[in-house]
Amino acid sequence: MPTELILPLDVPTREAARPLLKQLEGTVPWMKVGLQMFTAFGTDWVREVADHGYQVFLDLKLHDIPNTVAKTVESLSTLPIHMLTIHTSGGHSMVVAACAAQRESKPDLQLLGVTVLTSINASELQGVGVPDSPATQVSRLAQMGHDAGLTGFVCSPLEVGALRRDLSAGVQLVTPGVRPVGADHGDQARVMTPADAARAGSTHIVVGRPITQAADPTAAAQAIIAELASA
Ligand code: C5P
């Protein structure tokens, strides 16, 4: 199965998002709704995105005590979503509780574990009491999350190879930090091309600005999808 494209709806208003939803319908299979839009426009917005035919990746990065995360997963299970993120750093019991709630309330929902945020460097990690390198901590949290029942993770394309080696074959790996050749990197420091991310083992890539800021977003998305198909 070719690596699939996810577009993050990183816009402040529904008015800014709606033309993109309309234009990319039938081309882009997935839309990512993050904290910004979910906080402002709530569950109705998730339903509106899904009504266009998109699969919705709800990126809320849940992190709380096990009972609260499990109940939140249960509450969200009434929504038309296909992916949802939790922080693996919430610990083994939290991940177990989240996975149990997901299996019980929405078996077709793919829970994804976030390991170390890419904004965290070695010195920030030390500041929260972790003396290891970010790469070591990513592997540790992914292994722990996998042991606790997670079958998918969000990671940098540069971490995909290690996670592919360490975790079971069917694991879903969703990677932002992807840029087509020649595209502006924006604030993404360490990037891979769509084809390289696919070859490394990403099952999904998240690409935003190279599509949303293109003169022709549909053509930009189609070019990325073609690159993924031929990788
Ligand atoms: O526009 P761009 O392609 O950089 O968007 C990437 C998306 O992926 C944004 O929504 C960003 O917040 C998200 N993301 C990321 N790096 C991570 C996790 C999420 O770029 N490590």
Side-chain angles (χ1 to χ4, degrees):
M1 173 129 166
T3 301
E4 294 197 336
L5 175 62
I6 303 175
L7 185 88
L9 277 172
D10 293 329
V11 291
T13 64
R14 285 171 291 191
E15 290 64 36
R18 280 179 180 133
L20 275 173
L21 288 182
K22 205 150 179 46
Q23 202 178 346
L24 297 171
E25 218 180 280
T27 301
V28 172
W30 288 86
M31 288 284 163
K32 179 167 91 78
V33 175
L35 276 169
Q36 183 184 9
M37 287 206 98
F38 189 73
T39 305
F41 309 117
T43 51
D44 285 349
W45 176 242
V46 171
R47 291 196 176 87
E48 183 175 334
V49 174
D51 282 346
H52 283 267
Y54 295 106
Q55 300 190 79
V56 178
F57 169 8
L58 189 58
D59 189 16
L60 300 186
K61 298 188 177 69
L62 304 178
H63 188 172
D64 210 315
I65 60 171
N67 184 60
T68 301
V69 170
K71 295 292 179 205
T72 306
V73 171
E74 206 179 305
S75 298
L76 293 170
S77 72
T78 57
L79 290 177
I81 58 173
H82 291 81
M83 284 180 175
L84 172 69
T85 42
I86 64 172
H87 266 290
T88 52
S89 54
H92 188 269
S93 308
M94 191 204 89
V95 176
V96 167
C99 291
Q102 172 270 316
R103 280 193 301 271
E104 186 72 19
S105 58
K106 200 168 177 69
D108 63 342
L109 174 66
Q110 175 69 58
L111 275 189
L112 298 171
V114 174
T115 56
V116 179
L117 296 171
T118 44
S119 54
I120 304 251
N121 59 22
S123 88
E124 290 220 63
L125 206 52
Q126 277 175 21
V128 295
V130 179
D132 297 312
S133 69
T136 301
Q137 182 68 351
V138 166
S139 291
R140 174 188 289 137
L141 287 173
Q143 192 65 62
M144 183 279 290
H146 192 240
D147 292 345
L150 278 175
T151 57
F153 295 89
V154 182
C155 62
S156 142
L158 298 141
E159 294 156 2
V160 166
L163 296 196
R164 267 278 154 248
R165 276 193 303 278
D166 293 351
L167 308 178
S168 67
V171 104
Q172 305 281 299
L173 296 176
V174 178
T175 55
V178 175
R179 287 290 179 268
V181 174
D184 189 343
H185 286 196
D187 52 6
Q188 297 283 9
R190 301 182 307 146
V191 299
M192 268 195 198
T193 65
D196 285 342
R199 283 192 284 266
S202 300
T203 54
H204 301 76
I205 59 169
V206 182
V207 185
R209 286 161 291 180
I211 297 170
T212 56
Q213 293 179 5
D216 182 346
T218 308
Q222 282 167 340
I224 293 171
I225 289 166
E227 186 178 332
L228 292 172
S230 63

